[in-house]
């Protein structure tokens, strides 16, 4: 598995054991890319700090890579040994199975009120919050300043300008004027960003009440534009969008081969390491700035193991402003609480300032419909099929209609 934030991770390990009073078992995902910055270090330090003030509670920490963590938690749950806490990529299936505590039974009112509202809303299954946001990110449009200067162009603010900029870059021999990664790795992300930018009612995969609207007129129009104005004119690179993965698009940007690409904060370090001079602007909409950027979140959840009081108290500690900021700064992610977000916005630290373009978009971002147990199947179908919508001879309306049928059927069978 890869986290919703699009980050791969290093292998983790298991925490220490103990038996003083109540023992809370926490399974967490690793956001680090080496042993030196493994999330295990973060959690071990946090647990040690908490236990120093609460000697009757012991926190056992196990950290696994994103390739393993969701499967590990599922195996534990299936074996009847669910951890007390799991910090992973999705919560809806466990909520639907009645295995999780609602957030209201765990967290103090102060902690609950501090979460950014759209993240709390995204953590709801059937109007009750079970998914507790843990880490967040958004997307912005990265552009190569050197290539833009050579082409004599400025960052786009509308789709027409984006297409014109892409043509100017192509005329200068740029390999990927606009990198459009609709390959199977993370096509659902690029797709959603364009759907949110589509205007005329474009709202992503669902409408305001959570009904799938993948084949809406606005969404079909968006993919018709991509097919005709970017892909059909050879402005998306030598690799067909349906075969271009996000990791490859980011690597090509870091190598100076890409004029523009939608990216999340990890691309900042990736491009900077290669010496690429880049800028970041909000994703253009059809006629101006996009209505919303794509937001993503990973989740904390608490299983019904009979330790609600201790679990809730530990979570209140985890979500203190200091600890949320420490995690966000360590891994280049966005805080999920208002207090930490405000502190980061007001900070002059270089790392915080680099995240500001992403942070500014988080309050109005649109998230995947993660509260629907059908989303995993729908996401998989998008990854597999959406590239066909912009391929030569492809029919955007037909492809989106098939995806809509898949989504409707999955939603009906899951009752999510």
């Amino acid at each position: 598995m890869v986290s919703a934030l699009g980050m791969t991770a290093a292998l983790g390990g298991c925490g220490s054991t103990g038996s003083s009073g109540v023992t809370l078992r926490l399974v967490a995902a690793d956001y680090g890319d080496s042993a030196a910055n493994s999330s295990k270090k973060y959690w071990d330090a946090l647990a040690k700090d908490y236990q120093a003030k609460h000697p009757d509670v012991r926190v056992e920490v196990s950290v696994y890579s994103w390739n393993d963590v969701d499967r590990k938690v599922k195996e534990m749950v299936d074996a009847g040994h669910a951890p007390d806490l799991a910090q992973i990529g999705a919560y809806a299936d466990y909520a639907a199975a009645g295995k999780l505590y609602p957030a209201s039974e765990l967290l103090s009112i102060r902690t609950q009120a501090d979460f950014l509202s759209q993240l709390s809303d995204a953590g709801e299954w059937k109007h009750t919050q079970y998914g507790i946001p843990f880490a967040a990110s958004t997307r912005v449009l990265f552009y190569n300043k050197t290539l833009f200067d050579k082409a004599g162009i400025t960052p786009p603010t509308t789709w027409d300008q984006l297409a014109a900029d892409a043509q100017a870059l192509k005329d200068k021999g740029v390999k990927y004027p606009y990198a459009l990664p609709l390959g199977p790795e993370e096509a659902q992300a690029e797709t959603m960003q364009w759907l949110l930018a589509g205007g005329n009612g474009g709202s992503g995969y669902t409408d305001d009440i959570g009904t799938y609207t993948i084949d809406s007129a606005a969404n079909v129009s968006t993919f018709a534009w991509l097919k005709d104005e970017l892909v059909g004119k050879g402005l998306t690179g030598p690799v067909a969008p349906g075969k271009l993965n996000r990791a490859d698009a980011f690597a090509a940007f870091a190598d100076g081969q890409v004029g523009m690409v939608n990216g999340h904060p990890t691309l900042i370090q990736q491009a900077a390491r290669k010496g690429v001079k880049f800028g970041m602007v909000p994703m253009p909409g059809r006629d101006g700035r996009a209505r919303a950027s794509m937001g993503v979140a990973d989740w904390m959840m608490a299983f019904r193991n009979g330790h609600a009081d201790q679990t809730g108290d530990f979570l209140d500690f985890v979500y203190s402003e200091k600890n949320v900021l420490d995690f966000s700064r360590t891994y280049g992610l966005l805080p999920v609480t208002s207090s930490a977000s405000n502190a980061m916005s007001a900070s002059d630290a270089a790392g915080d300032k680099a995240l500001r373009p992403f942070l500014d978009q988080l309050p109005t971002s649109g998230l995947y419909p993660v509260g629907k147990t059908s989303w995993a199947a729908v996401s998989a179908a998008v990854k597999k099929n959406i590239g066909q919508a912009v391929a030569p001879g492809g029919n955007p309306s037909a492809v989106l209609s098939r995806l809509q049928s898949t989504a409707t059927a999955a939603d009906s069978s899951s009752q999510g």
Side-chain angles (χ1 to χ4, degrees):
M1 294 290 292
V2 175
S3 94
L5 304 181
M7 303 176 67
T8 56
L11 291 175
C14 294
S16 60
T17 59
S19 57
S20 61
V22 170
T23 297
L24 299 179
R25 292 182 300 131
L26 165 67
V27 176
D30 198 339
Y31 290 82
D33 56 12
S34 68
N37 70 345
S38 168
S39 294
K40 184 159 190 332
K41 287 191 172 183
Y42 173 84
W43 283 113
D44 282 350
L46 200 68
K48 183 178 180 180
D49 193 10
Y50 182 77
Q51 288 165 177
K53 302 170 186 174
H54 302 82
D56 57 331
V57 177
R58 187 158 188 85
V59 182
E60 285 186 4
V61 181
S62 300
V63 174
Y64 300 97
S65 79
W66 278 107
N67 295 322
D68 302 318
V69 68
D70 288 300
R71 175 177 54 82
K72 289 283 189 181
V73 171
K74 185 178 186 302
E75 289 172 353
M76 293 175 188
V77 173
D78 289 347
H81 300 294
D84 295 283
L85 289 160
Q87 188 274 297
I88 53 178
Y91 66 87
D93 285 344
Y94 297 124
K99 296 184 180 297
L100 302 181
Y101 285 112
S104 60
E105 293 184 21
L106 299 166
L107 304 173
S108 68
I109 293 175
R110 180 177 180 176
T111 299
Q112 288 184 73
D114 198 23
F115 289 114
L116 296 171
S117 60
Q118 84 278 21
L119 297 180
S120 294
D121 291 346
E124 292 184 355
W125 180 78
K126 291 193 172 179
H127 310 295
T128 298
Q129 185 185 356
Y130 295 93
I132 305 169
F134 183 72
S137 184
T138 58
R139 301 285 171 107
V140 300
L141 185 71
F142 283 71
Y143 66 97
N144 184 309
K145 286 186 173 181
T146 302
L147 298 179
F148 266 58
D149 288 346
K150 288 180 178 178
I153 54 177
T154 56
T157 58
T158 67
W159 286 5
D160 285 347
Q161 290 173 11
L162 187 149
D165 282 352
Q167 184 63 59
L169 291 164
K170 181 184 180 182
D171 293 343
K172 291 294 184 179
V174 175
K175 191 172 183 180
Y176 295 89
Y178 178 87
L180 184 66
L182 296 178
E185 178 193 5
E186 205 186 27
Q188 83 286 359
E190 184 74 13
T191 295
M192 184 165 178
Q193 182 63 78
W194 280 97
L195 297 185
L196 289 170
N200 298 321
S203 58
Y205 293 104
T206 61
D207 61 18
D208 291 339
I209 60 173
T211 303
Y212 284 111
T213 54
I214 296 173
D215 64 346
S216 69
N219 290 348
V220 170
S221 176
T222 291
F223 268 82
W225 187 90
L226 284 171
K227 179 177 181 293
D228 296 340
E229 302 301 324
L230 288 186
V231 183
K233 293 183 178 179
L235 303 179
T236 55
V239 177
K243 295 181 179 179
L244 180 64
N245 282 326
R246 189 265 308 163
D248 295 329
F250 280 18
F253 185 85
D255 286 338
Q257 300 175 342
V258 173
M260 297 173 278
V261 66
N262 277 318
H264 51 62
T266 58
L267 186 54
I268 294 175
Q269 290 81 16
Q270 190 173 350
R273 282 196 297 266
K274 292 290 192 76
V276 172
K277 295 181 180 179
F278 62 89
M280 298 178 289
V281 294
M283 175 66 178
R286 188 180 292 271
D287 300 310
R289 180 170 174 171
R291 182 183 67 86
S293 172
M294 188 192 75
V296 289
D298 292 331
W299 304 94
M300 179 74 76
M301 61 213 70
F303 287 87
R304 289 186 174 275
N305 287 354
H307 299 147
D309 290 345
Q310 294 87 351
T311 299
D313 189 70
F314 177 64
L315 287 175
D316 283 339
F317 177 74
V318 168
Y319 285 102
S320 67
E321 179 182 321
K322 175 187 179 300
N323 289 331
V324 172
L325 279 171
D326 283 350
F327 181 85
S328 300
R329 286 166 171 163
T330 298
Y331 298 105
L333 296 168
L334 304 183
V336 297
T337 61
S338 295
S339 59
S341 293
N342 292 338
M344 184 175 279
S345 292
S347 169
D348 288 327
D352 292 344
K353 291 173 90 171
L355 291 174
R356 202 162 292 161
F358 303 91
L359 191 63
D360 289 345
Q361 298 195 104
L362 188 57
T364 58
S365 61
L367 283 78
Y368 298 132
V370 290
K372 299 171 79 66
T373 56
S374 57
W375 169 240
V378 174
S379 177
V382 171
K383 291 178 184 180
K384 182 179 180 181
N385 297 300
I386 195 63
Q388 300 169 15
V390 297
N395 184 327
S397 179
V399 172
L400 294 182
S401 292
R402 288 196 297 272
L403 288 171
Q404 176 67 29
S405 296
T406 298
T408 301
D411 212 27
S412 178
S413 63
S414 71
Q415 297 297 309

